[in-house]
Amino acid sequence: MTSAMSKILIIGATGYLGKYMVKASLSAGHSTFVYIRPINPNADPSKLQLIKEFESLGVNVFQHNKLVLALQQVDVVISTLAVPQHLEQLKLIEAMKDAGNIKRFIPSEYGNEVDRVSGLPPFEALLENKRKIRRATEAAGISFTYVSANSFSAYFVDYLLHPHENRDEVTVYGTGQAKVVLNYEEDVVAYTVKAATDERVANRVIIYRPQGNIITQLELISSWEKKTGRILKRTHVPEEEIIKLSETLPFPENIPVAILHNIFIKGDQMSFELTEKDLEASMLYPHYKYTSVDSFLDICLAAPPKPKLAAFA
């Protein structure tokens, strides 16, 4: 499979990460396709506008219920379906088996390395769904690449620091000393598109852990204070309180707190050492200039991005 000849189908293209992925595929020179179920004319105008934008960029838009037919026209499938839709990928896997021509499948993960971490029950359920998709992909005999992109920097910097609001207070989860990995969304999709057509990553997990994106909450806050010249009042939420909330809040409100616990208190993204057998994106693609957390904070300082609308639950 060569990059120049790849035809990439994006599933979930109108979602939070999907629109980034479409543009990354186009930028890399691939023939880019998106599969969208027929949209009601009364649907969200922004979604209709996004589809028109895709078409204007040269994206091939499939709007029908014949998934197998769409799959038969491409080589690579990248799923960016949102968390509530993850198990719908079981149908996608069956359709890829029927199509019989897919050379690489990247299921929707983009978070923790699910086979090497665990979480509080609400988050563990999400991890288990991702594992189910992995096992189903393997059982179907479809060539895959699993992407562990850890956390999105634009989303979580906004969530933690609220740079567009100039707040004087900040919430710290636990001690604030757990190391996390914050990767800029545009880098996540760029690495993913590279990996999708790279034979070195076939039937492997690729982990996005650039050195410049490993940081603690306290380090992030301190960096922001230095750049803004302001001192932020820190309010710590103890681990016990987060655990209790994960046990007492109703579904799906219990999911975000369980995710916060895993990332910012337990520190699962940095809970294991990478070995020579692991594939790490910034090492695999050293010529790609990723946006470090420090550089992203500079972006926020100059022109804070709009609050991210994705729900990480």
Side-chain angles (χ1 to χ4, degrees):
M1 179 168 54
T2 60
S3 297
M5 299 299 293
S6 293
K7 297 178 180 180
I8 297 181
L9 176 66
I10 313 297
I11 305 292
T14 60
Y16 176 63
L17 195 64
K19 53 184 177 285
Y20 286 101
M21 197 72 73
V22 169
K23 293 177 181 179
S25 178
L26 288 169
S27 295
H30 298 297
S31 296
T32 304
F33 302 73
V34 302
Y35 176 78
I36 301 169
R37 291 182 181 135
I39 294 179
N40 188 304
N42 298 321
D44 183 352
S46 64
K47 182 170 288 190
L48 295 172
Q49 182 59 41
L50 184 58
I51 293 170
K52 290 180 180 179
E53 180 184 345
F54 287 160
E55 291 174 330
S56 71
L57 293 171
V59 175
N60 299 278
V61 179
F62 296 122
Q63 283 197 65
H64 53 65
N65 291 315
K66 299 177 182 179
L67 179 56
V68 173
L69 182 62
L71 291 167
Q72 289 173 338
Q73 299 183 55
V74 302
D75 307 309
V76 175
V77 177
I78 301 177
S79 175
T80 60
L81 289 175
V83 167
Q85 300 170 298
H86 277 173
L87 290 183
E88 292 184 18
Q89 293 174 111
L90 294 171
K91 296 178 182 178
L92 175 60
I93 292 167
E94 287 300 313
M96 286 189 287
K97 285 175 61 178
D98 291 342
N101 61 293
I102 300 303
K103 298 178 180 177
R104 187 77 60 83
F105 173 47
I106 298 184
S108 186
E109 292 195 13
Y110 313 108
N112 289 10
E113 213 297 73
V114 301
D115 284 332
R116 295 162 84 169
V117 302
S118 61
L120 296 175
F123 186 40
E124 180 63 24
L126 302 188
L127 297 175
E128 184 56 29
N129 284 345
K130 293 182 180 183
R131 295 184 195 114
K132 288 178 181 177
I133 300 302
R134 286 190 177 192
R135 304 294 87 84
T137 301
E138 293 156 11
I142 299 169
S143 179
F144 61 83
T145 294
Y146 300 145
V147 171
S148 172
N150 291 304
S151 298
F152 298 154
S153 63
Y155 183 87
F156 277 105
V157 166
D158 179 76
Y159 186 87
L160 296 169
L161 298 179
H162 307 278
H164 56 289
E165 296 181 14
N166 292 320
R167 292 189 183 184
D168 294 322
E169 298 183 10
V170 63
T171 300
V172 180
Y173 299 97
T175 65
Q177 296 176 342
K179 290 188 177 295
V180 303
V181 187
L182 300 178
N183 293 311
Y184 189 32
E185 285 83 335
E186 293 187 13
D187 296 334
V188 169
V189 297
Y191 280 138
T192 299
V193 170
K194 289 178 181 295
T197 56
D198 188 341
E199 293 296 344
R200 296 174 297 174
V201 200
N203 300 318
R204 300 284 301 275
V205 177
I206 183 170
I207 299 172
Y208 301 174
R209 197 190 278 186
Q211 284 298 311
N213 291 346
I214 300 170
I215 195 167
T216 68
Q217 285 181 85
L218 295 183
E219 290 168 344
L220 181 69
I221 294 165
S222 294
S223 293
W224 186 240
E225 288 177 326
K226 290 176 183 177
K227 291 178 184 294
T228 60
R230 293 185 288 116
I231 300 299
L232 301 176
K233 178 184 176 182
R234 294 155 170 76
T235 300
H236 285 258
V237 180
E239 179 176 12
E240 296 76 14
E241 184 174 334
I242 293 291
I243 292 174
K244 185 175 181 180
L245 286 171
S246 77
E247 295 170 342
T248 57
L249 286 174
F251 175 86
E253 295 172 38
N254 57 353
I255 297 175
V257 292
I259 294 175
L260 290 172
H261 178 271
N262 183 271
I263 297 173
F264 296 107
I265 297 177
K266 189 180 178 188
D268 246 2
Q269 293 175 351
M270 292 294 295
S271 64
F272 57 92
E273 294 291 332
L274 298 184
T275 71
E276 60 183 15
K277 295 181 180 180
D278 288 306
L279 296 177
E280 195 283 314
S282 65
M283 298 294 290
L284 197 62
Y285 307 111
H287 299 299
Y288 177 79
K289 183 175 175 57
Y290 68 87
T291 303
S292 67
V293 172
D294 186 70
S295 296
F296 182 70
L297 291 181
D298 288 336
I299 293 173
C300 291
L301 191 63
K306 293 180 180 179
K308 299 303 172 182
L309 300 180
F312 61 97

